[in-house]
Amino acid sequence: MSSNSNDLYAVADFCLIPMGLSDPSVAIYIAECQRVLEKSGLVYKASSVLIPYSGYGTNLEGPWTAVCNAIQACHAAVHAMGAPRIATDVRIGTRTDRESVSGKMNEGKVKRVENILKEN
C-alpha cells in the first residue's frame, strides 16, 4: 500500500464485522481480511487470548495512509466475498512527542504494562 512521506505514524485497532449473512460464523471473512493485511506489508496482530491488552479486533500500524488503505482493502475483499454490509469500529492513535519505531509501537505499549505489573 502506498503512503505519503508526510504521513503520521499511526497505530490502529479495528474490528470488522460482516453483516447480513445467512451463516452466523464470520471466520472465513476475517481470514480473508488477514490475507489482505499480510499482503499490505504492515505490522498487524489479530486479537486473541494470546495477545493481551488488545481490543476485539486487529492491531495495525504504519503510515496513516497505508493503514487506512489496508482497512479499505479489507472492506473491499469481504464485500467481494458476498457480504452485503460491513460495520467497522476503528481507533487510531498518533504521537509526535517521541520517535515512532516502525512496527514496534504496540509491542512497546504491551511491554511497558507488563513491566509495571512485574514491579508490583
Side-chain angles (χ1 to χ4, degrees):
M1 303 270 159
S2 63
S3 64
N4 179 331
S5 64
N6 295 323
D7 272 354
L8 291 169
Y9 192 83
V11 177
D13 180 68
F14 76 103
C15 180
L16 183 145
I17 306 164
M19 300 170 61
L21 305 166
S22 59
D23 186 348
S25 175
V26 297
I28 63 169
Y29 302 96
I30 302 309
E32 184 61 23
C33 185
Q34 296 299 301
R35 288 185 191 102
V36 168
L37 295 177
E38 185 66 33
K39 290 176 188 174
S40 77
L42 297 172
V43 172
Y44 73 94
K45 289 185 179 150
S47 202
S48 73
V49 294
L50 301 175
I51 305 170
Y53 318 121
S54 62
Y56 185 67
T58 300
N59 295 118
L60 177 65
E61 58 181 279
W64 181 281
T65 302
V67 167
C68 291
N69 285 344
I71 295 170
Q72 179 184 17
C74 284
H75 269 250
V78 172
H79 278 306
M81 293 177 69
R85 294 178 58 204
I86 300 170
T88 299
D89 294 322
V90 181
R91 289 181 295 167
I92 301 175
T94 59
R95 62 184 309 167
T96 59
D97 61 330
R98 66 168 57 172
E99 182 86 20
S100 295
V101 179
S102 183
K104 300 291 185 186
M105 296 304 291
N106 276 326
E107 182 182 307
K109 291 176 186 181
V110 171
K111 284 184 181 179
R112 177 72 177 125
V113 170
E114 289 172 344
N115 288 339
I116 290 169
L117 290 171
K118 288 176 186 176
E119 292 171 3
N120 296 328

